[in-house]
Amino acid sequence: MCRDPLDPLPPFAFRDETEKELQQLLSRAPTPAAAILPALHLVQKEHGYISTAAMDYLAGRLAIPPSKVLADATFYEMYRCYPVGHYLIQVCTGPSCALLGADRILDHLADRLGIKPGQTTPDRLFTLGRTECLAACGSAPVITCNGQLYEEMSVEKVDQLLADWSAAAARQPGESEWTGS
Amino acid sequence: MDRILTATWGLPGGHTLAVYRSHGGYGALAKALAMTPEAIVDQVKAANLRGRGGAGFPCGVKWGFLPKDLAKPRYLVVNADEGEPGTFKDRAILEKDPHRLLEGILITAYALKVETAYVYLRGEFGQPGQSLTEAIGEATQAGYLGTNILGSGYSLEIVLHYGAGAYICGEETALLESIEGKPGKPRPKPPFPAVVGLFGCPTIINNVETLACIPTIIERGGEWFHKLGRERDGGTKIYGVSGHVKRPGLYEAPLGLSLRTLVYDLGGGIRDDRPLKAVIPGGVSCVPLKPDEIDVTMDFASMTAAGTMLGTAGAIVMDVTTCMVRMATRIARFYHHESCGQCTPCREGSGWILRILEEIEAGRGSPEDLDLLVDICNHIQGNTICAFGDALAMPIRGYVTKFESEFLRHLEKGGCPFPAW
């Protein structure tokens, strides 16, 4: 899939524990295709995004056409076909959050990080995005970071979170990209 | 009032088996396993329990659509793909009271002669999924789940399946496609899932809150549950309120709660005591109601009679500073983004509507654009495979027709007259 014949795909493999999870998944799935979504989640959990090499690899392991893996990887919003920063921050801009200042929070984060929604900081520490309703409207506005929900947000509170995340990253230098958290 | 669905919310360890059991938890399961499956279905029919996912289809009637023979395996699928903007009740059930859901699944699966149940959780539900996983572990350990449940000879396996960020997968046949590993594109119906569902087998799909009602129905009886609510609408419901209210949150009340009570009493009224402009009663697919329209009872029939829907009963409240064009634009952006793309009226219409609304919000366009918006909505509604097209067309037409003067003011002023959000 999307192969350049002169530039073969890099080899892809899972770490041992993820490989075990995949084998379990394959043994339980009623059809090979039924394993695609959970397997893509495994890829993303381990690698942070879904590369062409990963899709090709999964198609081989599941014995299904690569086009089916590509179709799911691109149809479903949570699957990312590109690398993201160590912290993936997503601001809910659904109606309840929007009414309570989500746009201001998103603009503020974009200003602070010097990037637009959809972009990653040059040090690869932060990726900023927006998301649709996260089913937490009673505590709007909300954001997520690496899947963790943060409720009743404000400009001040996201500033504090940014400071905490930056400090945590400074304590672990070298982890400037997704490490599967 | 009896709190049913929220009885253990807020208690220390309220999500654990120990607390659930101390409130009578899993007593209904033991009772159900001593009943015939048919007797359980009869109780649910008597309860007049209507589906809590938004459509309000009578639950017992849906169950009755399963073929009588057991030629193929049959599945129960739990719809935990909560994504209708304004709705946040299923997340709360999963996080605060997962055992009630599990007991509901167990009783339902036994009644429907199902041996495998799937729970389809939206991909963003990491914490709710964790809570349910722990509950499954506790229940299995205690013998409520697995093989030979409570010595009855009945066995059930529950499989958790995570979605990956697609609103359309809340539509039940898109959800089935997704479990089968395909993009979530709704199937033409008939055949209905009760006949040809998951992996081609008879399948019943129920919402989280619907199934959470089942233990109480078995424990107290269908008639008792029915009497809590309205004539054609049994039981209690978890109502949500968010947006410009002082006390946003979830409140359990019998079917038939007044929308005014939800906004002004339970929700604490409007922030800074400003006047109200509009309420979306049950998720963004509902037509908004104006301040003089909120003296309605929130049950399925009354809300339909009021020209809108009960939907998920997750109300979004907007005060006078709210721009209705901007809200309509936000909703159109959502639907355009989430359209699966297989039906032309929805795929193209949603983008067309969005572009017109963005122009009006910026003060560009002409009054004829309002007629065009209504025309596009009329051509989407009823002309698509699933209800997504209607869910887009009905509210957008509602904003344009109910707040026409506000749309026109944007054009006269050459821009939006309201403050930023």
Side-chain angles (χ1 to χ4, degrees):
Chain A
M1 171 206 317
C2 313
R3 278 193 207 87
D4 178 347
L6 301 178
D7 184 14
L9 291 169
F12 181 90
F14 283 121
R15 285 199 283 263
D16 288 349
E17 64 268 35
T18 317
E19 171 60 31
K20 269 190 210 132
E21 282 188 70
L22 180 73
Q23 280 174 13
Q24 241 183 1
L25 198 64
L26 294 178
S27 67
R28 280 199 318 241
T31 65
I36 301 176
L37 263 70
L40 285 172
H41 279 306
L42 286 183
V43 171
Q44 190 153 285
K45 194 169 91 181
E46 183 169 308
H47 293 267
Y49 78 109
I50 295 157
S51 62
T52 308
M55 290 188 235
D56 218 49
Y57 176 79
L58 276 191
R61 289 295 301 272
L62 272 57
I64 51 169
S67 62
K68 296 203 176 204
V69 182
L70 179 69
D72 282 346
T74 52
F75 181 86
Y76 292 95
E77 192 72 23
M78 282 177 74
Y79 296 135
R80 304 177 292 269
C81 300
Y82 50 87
V84 291
H86 184 62
Y87 293 106
L88 171 64
I89 305 172
Q90 293 179 294
V91 179
C92 175
T93 56
S96 301
C97 287
L99 288 171
L100 296 173
D103 293 3
R104 268 181 283 131
I105 288 172
L106 182 66
D107 290 347
H108 178 76
L109 281 169
D111 270 1
R112 280 288 312 275
L113 299 171
I115 51 173
K116 290 182 189 146
Q119 295 181 334
T120 298
T121 53
D123 61 3
R124 307 211 63 79
L125 201 51
F126 294 104
T127 298
L128 180 63
R130 70 173 108 232
T131 168
E132 295 297 351
C133 185
L134 291 166
C137 318
S139 43
V142 300
I143 68 169
T144 63
C145 181
N146 295 354
Q148 170 84 35
L149 184 72
Y150 296 87
E151 300 169 275
E152 295 177 356
M153 284 290 104
S154 63
V155 165
E156 294 72 31
K157 285 184 186 169
V158 293
D159 272 342
Q160 184 57 51
L161 287 172
L162 274 187
D164 293 348
W165 293 327
S166 298
R171 284 196 298 274
Q172 295 168 297
E175 291 208 3
S176 61
E177 236 182 72
W178 185 277
T179 50
S181 52
Chain B
M1 188 211 81
D2 291 273
R3 278 169 66 198
I4 295 170
L5 298 163
T6 59
T8 57
W9 287 18
L11 297 178
H15 63 288
T16 60
L17 177 61
V19 172
Y20 186 61
R21 224 163 18 188
S22 72
H23 281 71
Y26 289 104
L29 174 65
K31 185 174 175 185
L33 290 173
M35 294 164 70
T36 64
E38 293 73 23
I40 295 171
V41 176
D42 286 345
Q43 287 300 317
V44 173
K45 281 183 178 160
N48 273 356
L49 171 66
R50 295 181 65 163
R52 305 296 198 231
F57 195 82
C59 181
V61 176
K62 191 190 240 188
W63 291 3
F65 291 154
L66 280 174
K68 298 287 168 267
D69 67 87
L70 294 171
K72 283 181 173 179
R74 30 176 78 189
Y75 293 104
L76 171 65
V77 175
V78 184
N79 189 342
D81 191 46
E82 182 170 56
E84 174 80 10
T87 311
F88 48 105
K89 62 191 178 65
D90 296 338
R91 174 195 281 276
I93 292 172
L94 289 159
E95 287 184 359
K96 295 175 202 281
D97 201 10
H99 282 287
R100 188 175 305 279
L101 171 63
L102 277 186
E103 191 177 11
I105 294 171
L106 281 154
I107 296 168
T108 304
Y110 169 73
L112 302 180
K113 299 170 184 164
V114 161
E115 287 168 3
T116 307
Y118 279 82
V119 181
Y120 187 93
L121 290 145
R122 65 179 287 185
E124 296 88 344
F125 270 9
Q127 179 55 43
Q130 184 59 35
S131 168
L132 184 61
T133 303
E134 285 168 18
I136 286 174
E138 281 185 313
T140 307
Q141 191 93 43
Y144 297 128
L145 178 61
T147 48
N148 191 20
I149 295 164
L150 299 179
S152 65
Y154 174 67
S155 303
L156 179 71
E157 184 193 14
I158 296 181
V159 181
L160 299 195
H161 190 98
Y162 284 92
Y167 169 75
I168 191 59
C169 289
E171 198 277 347
E172 57 181 23
T173 59
L175 191 157
L176 298 180
E177 290 284 296
S178 187
I179 295 179
E180 292 182 7
K182 292 173 260 181
K185 297 186 178 177
R187 300 173 180 170
K189 294 165 278 286
F192 289 93
V195 182
V196 182
L198 188 61
F199 304 115
C201 299
T203 303
I204 292 295
I205 301 132
N206 283 136
N207 170 260
V208 166
E209 189 188 356
T210 311
L211 290 171
C213 294
I214 301 296
T216 306
I217 291 172
I218 296 308
E219 189 192 333
R220 309 290 297 266
E223 267 308 306
W224 180 87
F225 185 88
H226 178 201
K227 284 190 185 125
L228 292 174
R230 308 276 291 182
E231 196 193 333
R232 289 173 52 205
D233 234 338
T236 62
K237 171 96 193 72
I238 301 175
Y239 293 89
V241 60
S242 65
H244 293 156
V245 285
K246 291 177 188 168
R247 284 198 302 269
L250 296 167
Y251 302 95
E252 182 177 4
L255 261 298
L257 175 73
S258 149
L259 178 54
R260 181 178 295 281
T261 304
L262 179 63
V263 174
Y264 282 96
D265 295 344
L266 300 173
I270 317 295
R271 65 167 182 184
D272 304 329
D273 293 317
R274 293 178 200 179
L276 174 69
K277 179 175 277 183
V279 184
I280 301 170
V284 294
S285 56
C286 301
V287 173
L289 295 173
K290 298 172 90 163
D292 62 355
E293 295 174 321
I294 65 165
D295 287 302
V296 286
T297 53
M298 297 183 80
D299 57 75
F300 286 100
S302 307
M303 295 303 280
T304 307
T308 180
M309 303 188 296
L310 179 62
T312 58
I316 303 173
V317 177
M318 295 169 272
D319 73 18
V320 277
T321 66
T322 313
C323 174
M324 290 294 112
V325 181
R326 204 183 307 153
M327 182 50 77
T329 309
R330 184 71 46 132
I331 291 168
R333 186 184 80 188
F334 170 74
Y335 282 111
H336 179 51
H337 180 249
E338 298 292 340
S339 172
C340 84
Q342 67 175 333
C343 305
T344 308
C346 173
R347 183 187 65 242
E348 301 302 322
S350 59
W352 196 2
I353 287 170
L354 176 61
R355 288 192 296 276
I356 295 171
L357 286 171
E358 283 174 340
E359 286 294 297
I360 296 174
E361 171 66 1
R364 296 185 293 263
S366 73
E368 287 78 54
D369 286 338
L370 304 191
D371 299 330
L372 181 57
L373 281 171
V374 172
D375 195 43
I376 298 168
C377 290
N378 291 344
H379 281 89
I380 295 173
Q381 194 174 347
N383 291 322
T384 54
I385 286 176
C386 78
F388 182 103
D390 299 356
L392 150 74
M394 294 186 299
I396 297 298
R397 192 170 50 218
Y399 287 93
V400 175
T401 53
K402 288 191 168 186
F403 298 95
E404 188 182 6
S405 62
E406 201 167 309
F407 281 70
L408 292 172
R409 203 146 30 111
H410 281 70
L411 300 177
E412 287 154 15
K413 191 174 176 285
C416 179
F418 293 97
W421 280 342

